Amino acid sequence: MKKIGCLNSELSYVISKLGHFDTLTVGDCGLPVPQGVQRIDLAVTYGVPSFEQVFSVIDQEAKFQKAIIAQESIEQNPEFYQFITAWAHKEGVTIEIVPHDELKARSHQSVAVVRTGECKPYCNVILESNVSF
């Protein structure tokens, strides 16, 4: 049994298989999961687990080069926007800002969508994998 890091077996497996340029979507509990894309549903109830809790575990497990977020988050969820931009600056990750409808369309290309219990609006990101060397 693992004793550190991501303990969710589905999430751990998906992260371990990410290749360069693969994408993983992490979303709030309202983000639709496209047909045919693996759903990793971690939501227990509203707010549990939070986006930030899930994101911090994923961030410890994988390296990313780009984050795609919805333009609507800038005004509708400034805390999320500040969280993601601070993380991206610290990690050297590029941020791409697109309309929410485009973010949902792009999530069709993700290897999986991770559903959190987050219930704040536009708390969704598509993470593009990088190499760790």
Side-chain angles (χ1 to χ4, degrees), residues 74-123:
I74 297 169
E75 289 185 20
Q76 299 293 318
N77 193 344
E79 290 174 357
F80 167 78
Y81 178 70
Q82 290 169 358
F83 172 80
I84 289 294
T85 56
W87 165 79
H89 178 72
K90 183 182 86 162
E91 296 293 323
V93 171
T94 302
I95 294 181
E96 183 178 349
I97 300 171
V98 300
H100 187 60
D101 286 341
E102 184 175 334
L103 182 132
K104 290 189 291 186
R106 288 196 190 186
S107 72
H108 287 73
Q109 304 305 314
S110 290
V111 296
V113 174
V114 181
R115 182 175 179 254
T116 70
E118 190 62 63
C119 52
K120 295 175 187 158
Y122 303 105
C123 210

Side-chain angles (χ1 to χ4, degrees), residues 2 6 23 26 32 43 45 48-49 54 69 78 82 93-94 98 105 111 113 124-126 130:
K2 278 185 85 171
C6 181
T23 61
V26 183
T45 190
V48 179
V54 173
I69 61 170
Q82 290 169 358
V93 171
T94 302
V98 300
V111 296
V113 174
N124 309 296
V125 64
I126 298 174
N130 197 358

